């Protein structure tokens, strides 16, 4: 039972979605006076967004908002313009998650997934590469395909010694990032600064208010914007919610909770197909098969993979139900002693270098992380027992423990003072962002928010999922401003 290292890595990256307070549809307005010059988008963005046609432009923002003399960087934005000027009510800023997710082609992606025409008529959809990403002053730690660092979700620590070993790896990563930060941009990649960038984009587009649709980490960014600029936030839709304006060690540890809550959906799916895959006839038997494969690879690792890579591949695959069949196929191959056919990675720069770098910079800069290795050793031991499927990975030490920069400011505090304009949409079974995160945001925003809980599995409910109730509620809010008068639950559909 072997598994190629790059297979797990690629799966993990693919895995990284009554009227209240007088919210009514705004009357159509004349095209705003903008400060941006729209032009052609980069070729790869054009190809990725096709058949949607996008325009692109840049908006200058300060490197450091606290220091006007720090210089400026350009943020590249994209626009999928409304084709119905009579129904256009403004702009809808988009964020696909991360931190570190490129977003210039995201509008095209949502359209291909079926984003209703009523939404694309109501708004110019504004995608962007946020600071540090892609075409917006990109940063790099210099990650390579054959290096020891395999992604921002820590590896599974099979024992205490594995945590100590990983500490040496991530210490080297933090030092490597500092060495490669030749322009000094890394310290300025924060959620607060990115939220301020959003407001600069709003102003450059000549808009009085910002509408926002964010997924996963985009929920943290949207929560930060709505808290920093409540008077300039209009309709805010947050899907797959972390629970605050930043990620910290507690958020990372909740990945293990998400695994425990989401795994049964896959296990039941596999159990119903036991005659096809042979993974077990019950949820309990499929769970036992997971541990059987993982523990076998823990004891007999091969150059192609070990128990940690198997666990990571399974974790990543549970982001979406579309990966259930390939995952069952992988398990079947491993269970019968075979080796999956994979494309080996050639030594060289990692294609995920930029994404991993931005994730680290924002996550490590937003809050002060524990620096004592003993803290992580205790957490891993605790979560290995609490969450056997993945706790010893999610609680493991990260480069943030050795990050070269202390937080420049406190993380953005969520405010419950402002309009009732924040709609939270959340699957009940979501592997990286468990439902508990949405509950936390709902409580912190108070009467500003309403929560739509969806009886479904996967990362992303609106457009990325298929629940009719969630789609209809979210679309009605974006298009007509219809906010539920209370929290609602959507049955499986």
């Amino acid at each position: 039972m072997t598994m190629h290292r790059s297979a797990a890595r690629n799966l993990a990256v693919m895995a990284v979605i009554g009227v209240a307070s007088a919210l009514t549809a705004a009357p159509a307005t004349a095209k705003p006076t903008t400060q941006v010059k729209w032009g052609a988008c980069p070729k790869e963005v054009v190809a990725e967004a096709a058949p949607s046609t996008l325009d692109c432009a840049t908006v200058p923002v300060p490197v450091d908002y606290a220091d006007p003399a720090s210089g400026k960087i350009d943020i590249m934005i994209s626009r999928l313009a409304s084709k119905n000027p009579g129904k256009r009510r403004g702009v809808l800023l988009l964020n696909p998650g991360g931190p570190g997710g490129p977003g210039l082609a995201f509008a095209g992606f949502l359209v291909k997934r079926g984003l209703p025409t009523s939404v694309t008529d109501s708004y110019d959809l504004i995608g962007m590469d946020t600071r540090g990403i892609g075409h917006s002053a990109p940063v790099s730690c210099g990650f390579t395909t054959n290096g020891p660092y395999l992604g921002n979700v820590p590896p599974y620590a099979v024992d205490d010694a594995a945590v100590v070993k990983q500490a040496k790896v991530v210490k080297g990563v933090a030092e490597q990032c500092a060495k490669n930060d030749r322009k000094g941009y890394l310290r300025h990649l924060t959620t607060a600064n990115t939220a301020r960038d959003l407001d600069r984009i709003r102003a450059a587009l000549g808009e009085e208010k910002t509408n926002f649709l964010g997924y996963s980490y985009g929920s943290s960014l949207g929560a930060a914007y709505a808290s920093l600029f409540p008077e300039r936030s209009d309709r805010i839709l947050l899907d797959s919610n972390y629970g605050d304006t930043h990620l910290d060690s507690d958020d990372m540890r909740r990945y293990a909770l998400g695994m425990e809550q989401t795994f049964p959906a896959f296990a039941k799916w596999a159990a119903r197909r036991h005659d096809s895959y042979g993974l077990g006839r019950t949820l309990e038997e499929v769970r036992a098969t997971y541990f059987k494969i993982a523990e076998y690879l823990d004891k007999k690792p091969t150059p192609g993979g070990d128990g940690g890579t198997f666990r990571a591949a399974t974790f990543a695959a549970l982001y979406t139900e579309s990966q259930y069949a390939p995952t069952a196929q992988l398990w079947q191959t491993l269970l019968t002693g075979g080796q999956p056919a994979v494309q080996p990675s050639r030594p060289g720069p990692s294609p995920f270098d930029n994404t991993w770098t931005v994730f680290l910079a924002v996550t490590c800069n937003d809050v002060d992380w524990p620096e004592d290795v003993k803290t992580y050793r205790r957490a891993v031991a605790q979560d290995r027992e609490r969450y056997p499927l993945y706790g010893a990975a999610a609680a493991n030490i990260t480069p943030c423990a050795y990050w070269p920069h202390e937080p420049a400011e406190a993380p953005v505090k969520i405010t419950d003072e402002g309009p009732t304009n924040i709609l939270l949409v959340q699957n009940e079974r979501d592997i990286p962002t468990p439902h508990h995160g949405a509950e936390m945001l709902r409580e912190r925003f108070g009467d500003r928010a309403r929560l739509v809980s969806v009886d479904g599995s996967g990362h992303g409910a609106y457009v990325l999922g298929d629940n009719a109730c969630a789609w209809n509620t979210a679309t009605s809010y974006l298009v007509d401003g219809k906010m539920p008068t209370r929290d609602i639950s959507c049955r499986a559909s």
Side-chain angles (χ1 to χ4, degrees):
M1 295 188 298
T2 60
M3 176 181 175
H4 199 283
R5 183 181 187 178
S6 63
R9 180 189 312 174
N10 291 340
L11 275 171
V13 173
M14 288 169 59
V16 42
I17 213 179
V19 180
S21 297
L23 283 171
T24 57
T29 59
K31 201 78 169 180
T33 301
T34 71
Q35 302 170 20
V36 301
K37 183 178 180 180
W38 295 106
C41 292
K43 291 182 179 180
E44 73 275 11
V45 175
V46 173
E48 187 178 350
S52 296
T53 301
L54 305 179
D55 306 307
C56 283
T58 58
V59 176
V61 300
V63 172
D64 182 0
Y65 280 89
D67 179 12
S70 61
K72 293 182 179 296
I73 55 175
D74 285 332
I75 303 298
M76 183 171 284
I77 64 174
S78 65
R79 177 185 65 176
L80 178 60
S82 167
K83 294 181 174 62
N84 194 331
K87 291 185 177 180
R88 181 190 180 280
R89 68 175 306 275
V91 295
L92 180 65
L93 274 58
L94 308 173
N95 186 273
L104 288 173
F106 193 47
F109 170 80
L110 291 176
V111 169
K112 281 185 277 192
R113 289 296 299 249
L115 183 70
T117 301
S118 56
V119 176
T120 57
D121 281 348
S122 298
Y123 301 96
D124 291 345
L125 303 187
I126 307 297
M128 69 196 71
D129 283 349
T130 53
R131 60 169 55 207
I133 301 168
H135 296 274
S136 299
V139 293
S140 167
C141 283
F143 292 118
T144 60
T145 57
N146 58 345
Y149 192 69
L150 301 179
N152 291 317
V153 178
Y156 186 90
V158 68
D159 53 25
D160 184 66
V163 183
V164 178
K165 180 179 179 181
Q166 183 65 9
K168 296 178 181 178
V169 171
V170 297
K171 185 175 186 293
V173 168
E175 293 170 349
Q176 178 180 335
C177 290
K179 182 180 179 180
N180 279 273
D181 186 23
R182 296 178 180 86
K183 293 184 179 180
Y185 287 164
L186 281 187
R187 71 180 64 198
H188 303 297
L189 269 60
T190 67
T191 301
N193 281 339
T194 303
R196 294 173 182 123
D197 293 344
L198 296 184
D199 203 54
R200 290 294 180 104
I201 293 169
R202 172 204 59 77
L205 294 173
E207 298 288 340
E208 292 185 4
K209 292 193 175 185
T210 296
N211 303 279
F212 183 86
L213 169 59
Y215 294 85
S216 194
Y217 167 75
S219 69
S220 297
L221 179 58
Y225 183 86
S227 297
L228 285 174
F229 307 102
E231 74 286 357
R232 294 202 284 273
S233 65
D234 195 357
R235 296 174 187 172
I236 308 295
L237 177 58
L238 309 180
D239 192 327
S240 305
N241 301 271
Y242 269 107
D244 212 326
T245 62
H246 58 274
L247 279 67
D248 58 20
S249 57
D250 288 339
D251 292 310
M252 293 288 286
R253 292 176 72 176
R254 278 197 292 274
Y255 288 177
L257 171 63
M259 180 79 158
E260 295 287 344
Q261 293 177 340
T262 306
F263 185 86
F266 165 73
K268 291 176 183 177
W269 181 95
R272 291 194 296 269
R273 294 161 177 80
H274 174 75
D275 291 344
S276 294
Y277 296 108
L279 304 182
R281 296 186 180 279
T282 65
L283 185 159
E284 292 76 15
E285 289 180 358
V286 175
R287 185 180 175 97
T289 299
Y290 170 86
F291 289 115
K292 178 181 179 180
I293 297 172
E295 291 167 5
Y296 179 91
L297 293 174
D298 285 338
K299 296 175 182 177
K300 296 186 177 182
T302 72
D306 57 17
T309 53
F310 166 74
R311 292 177 176 93
T314 302
F315 174 86
L318 299 190
Y319 271 60
T320 171
E321 293 182 4
S322 66
Q323 290 298 309
Y324 284 6
T327 302
Q329 184 184 55
L330 171 66
W331 283 31
Q332 185 182 36
T333 300
L334 295 171
L335 194 62
T336 56
Q339 181 171 352
V342 296
Q343 183 67 38
S345 297
R346 293 183 178 181
S350 170
F352 313 119
D353 173 44
N354 184 213
T355 295
W356 291 350
T357 301
V358 174
F359 182 98
L360 284 179
V362 174
T363 302
C364 301
N365 288 335
D366 273 354
V367 294
D368 194 12
W369 284 66
E371 299 175 4
D372 187 354
V373 178
K374 293 180 180 179
T375 301
Y376 298 93
R377 292 167 65 185
R378 287 193 297 268
V380 167
Q382 181 182 39
D383 284 6
R384 185 184 290 111
E385 297 297 323
R386 289 200 303 170
Y387 307 121
L389 290 170
Y390 209 57
N396 205 352
I397 192 167
T398 78
C400 293
Y402 301 98
W403 197 245
H405 308 295
E406 294 295 321
E409 59 183 318
V412 178
K413 184 178 180 180
I414 292 178
T415 178
D416 59 2
E417 296 181 3
T420 302
N421 65 341
I422 300 166
L423 185 64
L424 310 172
V425 182
Q426 179 70 48
N427 282 328
E428 292 179 357
R429 296 171 295 281
D430 184 331
I431 198 161
T433 56
H435 190 271
H436 182 63
E439 295 170 355
M440 292 168 63
L441 270 190
R442 175 66 177 89
E443 180 179 0
R444 287 166 174 164
F445 274 120
D447 197 50
R448 292 192 66 189
R450 298 290 184 270
L451 172 58
V452 179
S453 299
V454 183
D455 184 2
S457 295
H459 193 46
Y462 181 54
V463 182
L464 304 187
D466 62 1
N467 185 276
C469 167
W471 277 58
N472 293 338
T473 302
T475 299
S476 294
Y477 177 57
L478 288 176
V479 175
D480 300 318
K482 293 182 179 179
M483 173 73 81
T485 57
R486 60 182 182 276
D487 297 346
I488 62 174
S489 296
C490 291
R491 295 180 179 178
S493 66

